[in-house]
Amino acid sequence: DLGIRGAYSWTPDIALFSELRLVKIDYDQQFDRNGYERSSEGAEARLGTKLDFTGLTTGEVYVGYRYRQYEDPRFSTANGLAFGGEVVWNPTQLTSVIFGASREVTPTTVVGSAGIVETDFRIGLDHELLRNLVISTEFSLENDDFETIDREDELSRVTLGGKYLMN
């Protein structure tokens, strides 16, 4: 995975950026146990903005186009809309609300499928109970569209966690 980004600060609070990412996946074994050649290469071009409104709301969002070509001729090219980002809103000095979304292509070993187009939307909450103890929760909805085969999964997750900071 290799990327390059150029940015222009429109205002002190807003920067516009363009980014190009190149991806190459090369497996040690040419074929998997089902006879598929899963190595691939591709690119993603993004245009986006980075935000910082006095520390109250910060984040980055982008939209772009992705392309992934597989070595196995039975797999079609995975291309289309790419988007993502994360915006953090701090309603208090102790609480952060995180909004996130992304669309990306991930590898899979499901028979007949080249990859998965994952589309994910999430909202999370971090709260600092003590100076060294942060509790977190996140709810996410994910759509997994398997390339080349007729399979689509809908996933929902609730995550609870905490961080204890030693120093």
Side-chain angles (χ1 to χ4, degrees), residues 150-167:
D150 186 27
R151 177 177 169 182
E152 192 170 321
D153 293 348
E154 300 287 337
L155 307 169
S156 58
R157 279 188 204 95
V158 175
T159 307
L160 301 172
K163 289 182 194 172
Y164 182 77
L165 307 171
M166 299 298 274
N167 33 336

PDB file of all heavy atoms in Angstrom, residues 150-167:
ATOM      1  N   ASP A 150     -23.204 -14.148  -6.086  1.00  0.00           N
ATOM      2  CA  ASP A 150     -24.448 -13.533  -5.622  1.00  0.00           C
ATOM      3  C   ASP A 150     -24.570 -13.716  -4.107  1.00  0.00           C
ATOM      4  O   ASP A 150     -25.298 -14.586  -3.632  1.00  0.00           O
ATOM      5  CB  ASP A 150     -25.640 -14.159  -6.357  1.00  0.00           C
ATOM      6  CG  ASP A 150     -26.933 -13.454  -6.033  1.00  0.00           C
ATOM      7  OD1 ASP A 150     -26.885 -12.258  -5.697  1.00  0.00           O
ATOM      8  OD2 ASP A 150     -27.996 -14.104  -6.102  1.00  0.00           O
ATOM      9  N   ARG A 151     -23.800 -12.908  -3.360  1.00  0.00           N
ATOM     10  CA  ARG A 151     -23.864 -12.963  -1.900  1.00  0.00           C
ATOM     11  C   ARG A 151     -23.675 -11.554  -1.352  1.00  0.00           C
ATOM     12  O   ARG A 151     -22.795 -10.821  -1.777  1.00  0.00           O
ATOM     13  CB  ARG A 151     -22.788 -13.879  -1.338  1.00  0.00           C
ATOM     14  CG  ARG A 151     -22.763 -13.910   0.185  1.00  0.00           C
ATOM     15  CD  ARG A 151     -21.747 -14.869   0.725  1.00  0.00           C
ATOM     16  NE  ARG A 151     -21.571 -14.669   2.155  1.00  0.00           N
ATOM     17  CZ  ARG A 151     -20.715 -15.343   2.895  1.00  0.00           C
ATOM     18  NH1 ARG A 151     -19.959 -16.277   2.350  1.00  0.00           N
ATOM     19  NH2 ARG A 151     -20.593 -15.103   4.172  1.00  0.00           N
ATOM     20  N   GLU A 152     -24.525 -11.202  -0.411  1.00  0.00           N
ATOM     21  CA  GLU A 152     -24.439  -9.908   0.237  1.00  0.00           C
ATOM     22  C   GLU A 152     -24.787 -10.103   1.713  1.00  0.00           C
ATOM     23  O   GLU A 152     -25.834 -10.660   2.033  1.00  0.00           O
ATOM     24  CB  GLU A 152     -25.414  -8.931  -0.428  1.00  0.00           C
ATOM     25  CG  GLU A 152     -25.213  -7.509  -0.025  1.00  0.00           C
ATOM     26  CD  GLU A 152     -26.030  -6.558  -0.889  1.00  0.00           C
ATOM     27  OE1 GLU A 152     -26.153  -6.776  -2.106  1.00  0.00           O
ATOM     28  OE2 GLU A 152     -26.557  -5.595  -0.303  1.00  0.00           O
ATOM     29  N   ASP A 153     -23.894  -9.661   2.590  1.00  0.00           N
ATOM     30  CA  ASP A 153     -24.109  -9.801   4.029  1.00  0.00           C
ATOM     31  C   ASP A 153     -24.373  -8.435   4.648  1.00  0.00           C
ATOM     32  O   ASP A 153     -23.746  -7.445   4.274  1.00  0.00           O
ATOM     33  CB  ASP A 153     -22.880 -10.412   4.712  1.00  0.00           C
ATOM     34  CG  ASP A 153     -22.632 -11.857   4.314  1.00  0.00           C
ATOM     35  OD1 ASP A 153     -23.526 -12.465   3.693  1.00  0.00           O
ATOM     36  OD2 ASP A 153     -21.550 -12.375   4.630  1.00  0.00           O
ATOM     37  N   GLU A 154     -25.301  -8.404   5.612  1.00  0.00           N
ATOM     38  CA  GLU A 154     -25.579  -7.202   6.398  1.00  0.00           C
ATOM     39  C   GLU A 154     -25.137  -7.494   7.827  1.00  0.00           C
ATOM     40  O   GLU A 154     -25.602  -8.465   8.431  1.00  0.00           O
ATOM     41  CB  GLU A 154     -27.068  -6.861   6.384  1.00  0.00           C
ATOM     42  CG  GLU A 154     -27.643  -6.590   5.013  1.00  0.00           C
ATOM     43  CD  GLU A 154     -27.206  -5.250   4.439  1.00  0.00           C
ATOM     44  OE1 GLU A 154     -26.846  -4.358   5.231  1.00  0.00           O
ATOM     45  OE2 GLU A 154     -27.212  -5.107   3.207  1.00  0.00           O
ATOM     46  N   LEU A 155     -24.241  -6.693   8.353  1.00  0.00           N
ATOM     47  CA  LEU A 155     -23.723  -6.896   9.694  1.00  0.00           C
ATOM     48  C   LEU A 155     -23.992  -5.672  10.553  1.00  0.00           C
ATOM     49  O   LEU A 155     -23.907  -4.544  10.079  1.00  0.00           O
ATOM     50  CB  LEU A 155     -22.205  -7.141   9.650  1.00  0.00           C
ATOM     51  CG  LEU A 155     -21.706  -8.238   8.723  1.00  0.00           C
ATOM     52  CD1 LEU A 155     -20.202  -8.164   8.587  1.00  0.00           C
ATOM     53  CD2 LEU A 155     -22.120  -9.581   9.258  1.00  0.00           C
ATOM     54  N   SER A 156     -24.309  -5.895  11.815  1.00  0.00           N
ATOM     55  CA  SER A 156     -24.403  -4.796  12.778  1.00  0.00           C
ATOM     56  C   SER A 156     -23.597  -5.196  14.004  1.00  0.00           C
ATOM     57  O   SER A 156     -23.578  -6.365  14.393  1.00  0.00           O
ATOM     58  CB  SER A 156     -25.852  -4.486  13.126  1.00  0.00           C
ATOM     59  OG  SER A 156     -26.492  -5.624  13.650  1.00  0.00           O
ATOM     60  N   ARG A 157     -22.911  -4.208  14.580  1.00  0.00           N
ATOM     61  CA  ARG A 157     -22.036  -4.469  15.724  1.00  0.00           C
ATOM     62  C   ARG A 157     -22.243  -3.425  16.794  1.00  0.00           C
ATOM     63  O   ARG A 157     -22.412  -2.247  16.489  1.00  0.00           O
ATOM     64  CB  ARG A 157     -20.569  -4.389  15.305  1.00  0.00           C
ATOM     65  CG  ARG A 157     -20.012  -5.564  14.656  1.00  0.00           C
ATOM     66  CD  ARG A 157     -18.479  -5.400  14.487  1.00  0.00           C
ATOM     67  NE  ARG A 157     -18.056  -6.223  13.403  1.00  0.00           N
ATOM     68  CZ  ARG A 157     -17.900  -5.820  12.154  1.00  0.00           C
ATOM     69  NH1 ARG A 157     -18.062  -4.582  11.838  1.00  0.00           N
ATOM     70  NH2 ARG A 157     -17.545  -6.664  11.217  1.00  0.00           N
ATOM     71  N   VAL A 158     -22.154  -3.869  18.025  1.00  0.00           N
ATOM     72  CA  VAL A 158     -22.075  -2.961  19.175  1.00  0.00           C
ATOM     73  C   VAL A 158     -20.788  -3.325  19.903  1.00  0.00           C
ATOM     74  O   VAL A 158     -20.566  -4.494  20.218  1.00  0.00           O
ATOM     75  CB  VAL A 158     -23.294  -3.106  20.111  1.00  0.00           C
ATOM     76  CG1 VAL A 158     -23.124  -2.245  21.344  1.00  0.00           C
ATOM     77  CG2 VAL A 158     -24.574  -2.749  19.376  1.00  0.00           C
ATOM     78  N   THR A 159     -19.954  -2.330  20.136  1.00  0.00           N
ATOM     79  CA  THR A 159     -18.679  -2.549  20.796  1.00  0.00           C
ATOM     80  C   THR A 159     -18.635  -1.726  22.064  1.00  0.00           C
ATOM     81  O   THR A 159     -18.998  -0.539  22.060  1.00  0.00           O
ATOM     82  CB  THR A 159     -17.526  -2.118  19.870  1.00  0.00           C
ATOM     83  OG1 THR A 159     -17.677  -2.784  18.623  1.00  0.00           O
ATOM     84  CG2 THR A 159     -16.186  -2.452  20.463  1.00  0.00           C
ATOM     85  N   LEU A 160     -18.195  -2.334  23.149  1.00  0.00           N
ATOM     86  CA  LEU A 160     -17.979  -1.643  24.414  1.00  0.00           C
ATOM     87  C   LEU A 160     -16.523  -1.852  24.807  1.00  0.00           C
ATOM     88  O   LEU A 160     -15.983  -2.927  24.628  1.00  0.00           O
ATOM     89  CB  LEU A 160     -18.885  -2.212  25.511  1.00  0.00           C
ATOM     90  CG  LEU A 160     -20.374  -2.145  25.248  1.00  0.00           C
ATOM     91  CD1 LEU A 160     -21.121  -2.932  26.331  1.00  0.00           C
ATOM     92  CD2 LEU A 160     -20.851  -0.717  25.220  1.00  0.00           C
ATOM     93  N   GLY A 161     -15.897  -0.812  25.322  1.00  0.00           N
ATOM     94  CA  GLY A 161     -14.488  -0.966  25.690  1.00  0.00           C
ATOM     95  C   GLY A 161     -14.036   0.122  26.635  1.00  0.00           C
ATOM     96  O   GLY A 161     -14.778   1.031  26.986  1.00  0.00           O
ATOM     97  N   GLY A 162     -12.807  -0.016  27.038  1.00  0.00           N
ATOM     98  CA  GLY A 162     -12.214   0.976  27.920  1.00  0.00           C
ATOM     99  C   GLY A 162     -10.709   1.000  27.754  1.00  0.00           C
ATOM    100  O   GLY A 162     -10.110   0.034  27.283  1.00  0.00           O
ATOM    101  N   LYS A 163     -10.118   2.131  28.126  1.00  0.00           N
ATOM    102  CA  LYS A 163      -8.679   2.277  28.115  1.00  0.00           C
ATOM    103  C   LYS A 163      -8.228   2.796  29.463  1.00  0.00           C
ATOM    104  O   LYS A 163      -8.767   3.779  29.973  1.00  0.00           O
ATOM    105  CB  LYS A 163      -8.218   3.303  27.071  1.00  0.00           C
ATOM    106  CG  LYS A 163      -8.355   2.884  25.659  1.00  0.00           C
ATOM    107  CD  LYS A 163      -7.811   3.987  24.767  1.00  0.00           C
ATOM    108  CE  LYS A 163      -8.236   3.776  23.336  1.00  0.00           C
ATOM    109  NZ  LYS A 163      -7.881   4.930  22.502  1.00  0.00           N
ATOM    110  N   TYR A 164      -7.263   2.100  30.037  1.00  0.00           N
ATOM    111  CA  TYR A 164      -6.631   2.579  31.256  1.00  0.00           C
ATOM    112  C   TYR A 164      -5.229   3.036  30.881  1.00  0.00           C
ATOM    113  O   TYR A 164      -4.415   2.243  30.402  1.00  0.00           O
ATOM    114  CB  TYR A 164      -6.579   1.467  32.318  1.00  0.00           C
ATOM    115  CG  TYR A 164      -5.965   1.931  33.607  1.00  0.00           C
ATOM    116  CD1 TYR A 164      -6.681   2.717  34.490  1.00  0.00           C
ATOM    117  CD2 TYR A 164      -4.640   1.620  33.908  1.00  0.00           C
ATOM    118  CE1 TYR A 164      -6.103   3.167  35.668  1.00  0.00           C
ATOM    119  CE2 TYR A 164      -4.048   2.071  35.083  1.00  0.00           C
ATOM    120  CZ  TYR A 164      -4.806   2.836  35.954  1.00  0.00           C
ATOM    121  OH  TYR A 164      -4.229   3.306  37.115  1.00  0.00           O
ATOM    122  N   LEU A 165      -4.938   4.310  31.067  1.00  0.00           N
ATOM    123  CA  LEU A 165      -3.667   4.905  30.681  1.00  0.00           C
ATOM    124  C   LEU A 165      -2.717   4.847  31.879  1.00  0.00           C
ATOM    125  O   LEU A 165      -3.025   5.363  32.951  1.00  0.00           O
ATOM    126  CB  LEU A 165      -3.863   6.334  30.205  1.00  0.00           C
ATOM    127  CG  LEU A 165      -4.927   6.476  29.110  1.00  0.00           C
ATOM    128  CD1 LEU A 165      -5.235   7.934  28.839  1.00  0.00           C
ATOM    129  CD2 LEU A 165      -4.475   5.782  27.846  1.00  0.00           C
ATOM    130  N   MET A 166      -1.564   4.206  31.688  1.00  0.00           N
ATOM    131  CA  MET A 166      -0.624   3.994  32.796  1.00  0.00           C
ATOM    132  C   MET A 166       0.091   5.263  33.235  1.00  0.00           C
ATOM    133  O   MET A 166       0.390   5.431  34.390  1.00  0.00           O
ATOM    134  CB  MET A 166       0.402   2.924  32.405  1.00  0.00           C
ATOM    135  CG  MET A 166      -0.215   1.572  32.095  1.00  0.00           C
ATOM    136  SD  MET A 166      -1.061   0.851  33.468  1.00  0.00           S
ATOM    137  CE  MET A 166       0.307   0.049  34.264  1.00  0.00           C
ATOM    138  N   ASN A 167       0.464   6.158  32.317  1.00  0.00           N
ATOM    139  CA  ASN A 167       1.092   7.404  32.712  1.00  0.00           C
ATOM    140  C   ASN A 167       0.694   8.506  31.764  1.00  0.00           C
ATOM    141  O   ASN A 167       0.078   8.331  30.794  1.00  0.00           O
ATOM    142  CB  ASN A 167       2.628   7.323  32.789  1.00  0.00           C
ATOM    143  CG  ASN A 167       3.249   6.402  31.785  1.00  0.00           C
ATOM    144  OD1 ASN A 167       2.613   5.496  31.321  1.00  0.00           O
ATOM    145  ND2 ASN A 167       4.496   6.594  31.460  1.00  0.00           N
TER     146      ASN A 167
END
